[in-house]
Amino acid sequence: MAVVRVIQEFPDELEADLLEFFGVDLLNLWRGRLSLRRIGVLINSLMNKPGRSTLLMAMDERAKWSEREYLLARMSDALELSNFLFLKANVPDEDARDLEFPAPIPRPGEPEPQPTSKVEFSDAAELTTFFGRLNSV
């Protein structure tokens, strides 16, 4: 992204990040003590600070989370799914029908997940018939 465009579209966020991370005042550009090239270098550095850079968060909502937070959300979703499948397989059929499929943790910048249709699992009779047909092949 062009430096001038960043300065025009996100002046407050850029100024806050320049002061917080580098101790550089954006007003120094107009005072002649700061070049556009140096601002460009500092902006490129800010692009590597997801979850911390106000500028990056303003440019892309997904940058509100760092890689660590995305990994934790994936692990949590996988654990929830694992628990759901374990319970579905090990509780009586009448109790298993009441279990709801776990919703994933909402991520910033992504649309809210739509509720999935209820998952239908085969009962014991259907499985017996299916595997019986496989044995006769």
Side-chain angles (χ1 to χ4, degrees):
M1 181 175 267
V3 174
V4 174
R5 198 167 111 204
V6 172
I7 293 171
Q8 290 174 340
E9 291 182 22
F10 307 102
D12 296 337
E13 294 86 354
L14 177 61
E15 183 175 8
D17 279 354
L18 289 177
L19 283 172
E20 179 181 349
F21 292 107
F22 309 112
V24 172
D25 190 355
L26 187 58
L27 287 176
N28 286 339
L29 177 65
W30 285 270
R31 295 176 185 143
R33 297 184 212 142
L34 187 62
S35 68
L36 284 175
R37 187 203 68 78
R38 181 147 189 234
I39 292 177
V41 169
L42 297 176
I43 288 173
N44 286 336
S45 177
L46 290 172
M47 295 299 136
N48 294 318
K49 298 182 183 325
R52 300 185 302 164
S53 170
T54 308
L55 174 65
L56 190 54
M57 286 185 240
M59 294 171 76
D60 185 3
E61 190 177 343
R62 294 173 297 175
K64 288 183 179 179
W65 280 11
S66 67
E67 186 176 342
R68 176 178 296 154
E69 291 163 320
Y70 278 104
L71 289 173
L72 284 172
R74 281 190 66 193
M75 288 175 20
S76 175
D77 290 345
L79 184 61
E80 287 288 329
L81 179 61
S82 175
N83 288 340
F84 170 77
L85 293 174
F86 176 81
L87 289 173
K88 204 66 161 162
N90 291 299
V91 297
D93 286 340
E94 59 273 359
D95 294 335
R97 289 187 192 115
D98 297 334
L99 293 175
E100 291 186 25
F101 194 80
I105 294 176
R107 272 74 163 172
E110 294 181 7
E112 287 291 321
Q114 299 299 321
T116 57
S117 60
K118 189 161 182 153
V119 178
E120 293 290 327
F121 290 95
S122 299
D123 61 8
E126 290 174 323
L127 288 173
T128 303
T129 305
F130 174 76
F131 286 118
R133 287 184 192 154
L134 283 177
N135 285 336
S136 65
V137 172

